[in-house]
Amino acid sequence: MPLNSDLIWMIVSFVLTLLVFSYLFGDNPAFRIATAILVGVSAGYFAVLIVYQVLLPRLVVPLLQGSIISLVPLFLSGLMLTKLSPRLSRLGNLSMAYLVGAGAAVAIGGAVLGT
């Protein structure tokens, strides 16, 4: 009897479910493995999603088509990376100010409109 992909994924999901339910016996290595798999798969999924749904269509494609305005988000994200260095962190304040202002505008707008 050949193993098809549905049967393999059913076995994998059953084993992961048992690993999660092992938390009922206390914090153990089996549960830690299950949580590490969950975090790793989620991080990988969101990284691929961000690259293919956000970066490529909204940054790379407009830049390749000659849109100069697309350089602004690229420049601001470069300034955001300077926040990683204590010596250069002051350069990232412009990007942080933009993010905080946009977040506050969305929150206040949602509160006023009731959404």
Side-chain angles (χ1 to χ4, degrees), residues 50-92:
I50 287 170
V51 167
Y52 285 106
Q53 298 289 327
V54 177
L55 291 179
L56 287 178
R58 296 183 187 252
L59 182 65
V60 175
V61 171
L63 281 174
L64 292 177
Q65 293 175 347
S67 174
I68 302 299
I69 197 72
S70 297
L71 290 175
V72 174
L74 185 63
F75 176 71
L76 288 175
S77 61
L79 286 179
M80 183 71 73
L81 288 175
T82 63
K83 295 296 271 181
L84 294 173
S85 168
R87 192 170 52 105
L88 299 174
S89 67
R90 291 184 58 140
L91 295 174

Side-chain angles (χ1 to χ4, degrees), residues 22-68:
S22 73
Y23 186 70
L24 294 173
F25 300 115
D27 194 18
N28 56 46
F31 178 73
R32 290 185 190 150
I33 289 171
T35 56
I37 290 172
L38 174 69
V39 170
V41 168
S42 299
Y45 174 74
F46 285 120
V48 168
L49 194 70
I50 287 170
V51 167
Y52 285 106
Q53 298 289 327
V54 177
L55 291 179
L56 287 178
R58 296 183 187 252
L59 182 65
V60 175
V61 171
L63 281 174
L64 292 177
Q65 293 175 347
S67 174
I68 302 299

